[in-house]
Structures are given as C-alpha cells and as structure tokens.
Amino acid sequence: MHLDLPEAIAVLRRTPGALRALLSDLPESWLHGREGPDTWSPFDVIGHLIDGEETDWIPRVRIILAGGPNPVFEPFDRFRHLRLNGGKPLSALLDRFARLRAENVATLEGFRLSRRDLERPGVHPELGPVTLGQLLATWVAHDLGHIAQVARVMAKQYGDEVGPWRAYLPVLTR
Amino acid sequence: MHLDLPEAIAVLRRTPGALRALLSDLPESWLHGREGPDTWSPFDVIGHLIDGEETDWIPRVRIILAGGPNPVFEPFDRFRHLRLNGGKPLSALLDRFARLRAENVATLEGFRLSRRDLERPGVHPELGPVTLGQLLATWVAHDLGHIAQVARVMAKQYGDEVGPWRAYLPVLTR
C-alpha cells in the first residue's frame, strides 16, 4: 500500500480501542508477563505508546512543518514510561492513551496536509533524512507492531501449557 | 502462567471485541493485504477463527469429556474458510465470530470443569496424546497468535512507506 492519509488515520484512531478491548479488566497476571529480560509487558507497551503521543509523533510533525534549515528531531526516550508509570492502574493508562491519541489525530487532521506536504523533509537523529510521509507511515506501523507484541507476549505466557500444540503455534517462538 | 480457567476465558471473551475494534469499518485496502503467497489476510484470519468455533474447539472438548476408549479428534480443516467466505462483508464475519464465541464460552462454562478435568485425555490426529487443559490453553494462544498476525500483516503493508525507520520496526521482518 502507498500511504494515504485517511487510511493511515483510520488505523491510528482504532489502536486505543483495540488495546482497550483486549486488555481492559483482564486478570493482572496477563498484564505483567514478559518474553524475557529487558522486554516489555503489555502494561509497559501502553506506557510506551503514551510516551509516543506526548513526546514523539506530533512534535516531529511540527518540526517538519516548521520548515527550518535543520529540521532534526529530538531523540525519543524509549524508557521514559518505565520511570513514570510504576504502580498506576492499567485503566488509567488506557484512558490517557485514548485521550492523547484523539487529540493528536485531531491535531494531525487540522494540519490539512496535502500530498506534496508528505514529501517535506525532517532529520532523524540516528537514521538521517526522512520525510513527513515516512514519519506518518511509521506511526501506523509502530502502533500495529505493538499490538502484535502485546498479543505475542500474552500468548507466550501459555508456552508450556499448550503441550504438543507448541509445534503448530509459531507465535510462541517468534 | 499455569492454566487457570477464568483467566483463559477472560481472553477468549475479549478476542472478538479486540478484532472488531481494530478492523471494523476499516478501508478495504487494509483487509486483504497478505505477507506473501499462501498467507492470510486479516479477512482470511477472521474466517479461520470462525471455523475454529464451528468445527474445532468445542467439538474437541466434547470428545474428551465423552471419555470414550479412543478420544481422537477430527482433523481441523484450516482452509475451509477460503471456500466459504469469498465476497462476504467483513462485518458479517465479525458478527458471526462474536456470536459463536459467546455461545462457545457459555458452553465451556456450562461444563463446570474441575482442575482434575483439565487432565482428561484426548488424541490429536497428528500430535498424539494431549489433555483438555492443553486444548484450552491452545485455544487462547491460537487467538492471540492470530491477533498478532492481523496486526503484523497490516504493518507490513507499509513496509516500504516507512523508509529508513524499517530498521527500528522488527514487526516488518518477522
């Protein structure tokens, strides 16, 4: 698929609801399992998505749209949520993510971006030159990657319980 | 995690809503993308989950609970949905999956399974001896694997659009 703004926004709008439908009021035991050391639980992923809303996606769009001579992004702190969210209930994080995402989608739509705007340049602090269109496609793919991660991490909690069916469940070994 | 029936059922109940929240009324272009030849689109996955409700999970539970001398399962036809669902709207499949799942969870709860029941034996036509507990854990992990698949397949539709960010998105290359 080529990036089409309404198609991209359709996914961005759905991510909070999909994660809420999967995780809301689930027994705690599902929320804090991991895949191994230094990996994230479903709870951690929601915190990371909140960080993206607060510090990454729209701030980077604004840097590109400002059109300065050196449109370099701030580095994204991938570990901020681990300091901020300990002890909070997941429901509060799900609510916060949904509210921030709705605001950010409204902000994005308010920019009334044209096809040509999607070619506007930014500079990633590590990856180098990128475009606004690439940033928006990444926002979408990043959401979907983390939905996949949450489901995969949950599946792995039953890695032993499935017995011989393990051979038929590639999600357990990805 | 060890299998705990209420924890398992909590996930089984949420799968239809999570997939509906992600996919309902999405632009068609998201629904039919694949990862490659002989792989499934999000639309195909919903059809496969319906097949599981109609022909696999509860019928296998019943074979185990019947306690006959040779509790061997019918093979699961993983391609039935490809014959049945062509041209149907996704909304009809999402509705059907939700209805079947609600019925099957009610049926499962109606069995009032004890811890000891979870040890009861069945025979998988290819994998050999299994237990009821392994079957139920597999039902849950299978759901989660297909949620992960749907999100991953969607993410891959933007595999080129993300540009240099591809290096930071492991979901695109799993």
Side-chain angles (χ1 to χ4, degrees):
Chain A
M1 287 170 68
H2 289 289
L3 179 70
D4 171 85
L5 203 55
E7 285 178 350
I9 287 174
V11 176
L12 294 178
R13 279 192 200 290
R14 280 165 175 76
T15 301
L19 288 166
R20 186 191 298 277
L22 183 60
L23 298 176
S24 191
D25 299 321
L26 260 192
E28 280 286 310
S29 48
W30 286 113
L31 303 180
H32 299 286
R34 291 185 167 76
E35 289 173 293
D38 298 321
T39 65
W40 290 347
S41 68
F43 180 92
D44 295 334
V45 169
I46 306 303
H48 169 66
L49 291 169
I50 288 171
D51 288 351
E53 298 307 300
E54 293 188 323
T55 70
D56 189 286
W57 307 108
I58 289 290
R60 290 178 172 194
V61 173
R62 289 190 194 279
I63 287 169
I64 291 175
L65 294 180
N70 186 25
V72 64
F73 308 146
E74 293 287 319
F76 179 26
D77 179 355
R78 294 177 62 256
F79 304 100
R80 176 180 185 257
H81 62 99
L82 299 176
R83 299 189 302 274
L84 291 181
N85 298 330
K88 290 188 186 160
L90 181 73
S91 61
L93 299 190
L94 289 169
D95 288 349
R96 183 168 182 79
F97 177 47
R99 184 172 55 71
L100 289 165
R101 174 57 59 89
E103 290 169 6
N104 283 336
V105 166
T107 298
L108 179 63
E109 291 186 318
F111 293 139
R112 300 186 171 281
L113 300 173
S114 66
R115 281 237 140 255
R116 184 182 282 180
D117 287 326
L118 299 179
E119 301 304 317
R120 294 177 69 167
V123 178
H124 187 282
E126 292 174 0
L127 299 169
V130 294
T131 67
L132 178 54
Q134 288 168 346
L135 174 63
L136 298 178
T138 300
W139 194 357
V140 173
H142 179 268
D143 270 21
L144 293 165
H146 283 297
I147 293 172
Q149 178 185 19
V150 165
R152 186 183 73 239
V153 171
M154 290 173 66
K156 286 184 181 180
Q157 306 311 309
Y158 275 178
D160 292 333
E161 298 301 293
V162 301
W165 267 288
R166 188 173 178 87
Y168 288 181
L169 293 166
V171 70
L172 298 179
T173 47
R174 277 181 202 274
Chain B
M1 286 169 68
H2 289 288
L3 180 70
D4 169 86
L5 203 54
E7 285 178 351
I9 287 174
V11 176
L12 294 177
R13 280 192 200 289
R14 280 165 175 76
T15 302
L19 289 166
R20 187 191 297 277
L22 183 60
L23 298 177
S24 192
D25 299 320
L26 260 192
E28 281 286 310
S29 48
W30 286 113
L31 303 180
H32 300 286
R34 292 186 169 74
E35 290 173 292
D38 298 320
T39 66
W40 290 347
S41 68
F43 181 92
D44 295 335
V45 168
I46 306 303
H48 169 67
L49 290 169
I50 288 171
D51 288 352
E53 298 307 300
E54 294 187 324
T55 70
D56 189 288
W57 306 109
I58 288 291
R60 290 178 172 192
V61 174
R62 289 190 194 279
I63 286 169
I64 291 175
L65 294 180
N70 187 23
V72 64
F73 308 146
E74 294 287 318
F76 180 26
D77 180 354
R78 293 178 60 257
F79 303 99
R80 176 180 185 257
H81 61 101
L82 300 176
R83 299 189 302 275
L84 291 182
N85 296 331
K88 289 188 186 157
L90 181 72
S91 60
L93 298 189
L94 289 169
D95 290 347
R96 183 168 183 80
F97 177 46
R99 184 171 56 71
L100 290 164
R101 174 57 60 89
E103 290 169 6
N104 284 337
V105 166
T107 298
L108 178 63
E109 291 187 317
F111 293 139
R112 300 186 170 282
L113 299 174
S114 67
R115 280 238 140 255
R116 184 182 283 180
D117 286 328
L118 300 179
E119 301 303 317
R120 294 176 69 168
V123 179
H124 187 283
E126 293 174 358
L127 298 171
V130 294
T131 67
L132 177 54
Q134 289 168 345
L135 174 64
L136 298 178
T138 300
W139 193 357
V140 172
H142 179 268
D143 269 22
L144 292 165
H146 284 296
I147 292 173
Q149 178 185 20
V150 165
R152 186 182 73 238
V153 170
M154 290 174 66
K156 286 184 180 181
Q157 307 311 309
Y158 275 178
D160 292 332
E161 299 301 292
V162 301
W165 268 288
R166 187 174 179 86
Y168 286 1
L169 293 166
V171 69
L172 298 179
T173 48
R174 277 180 202 275

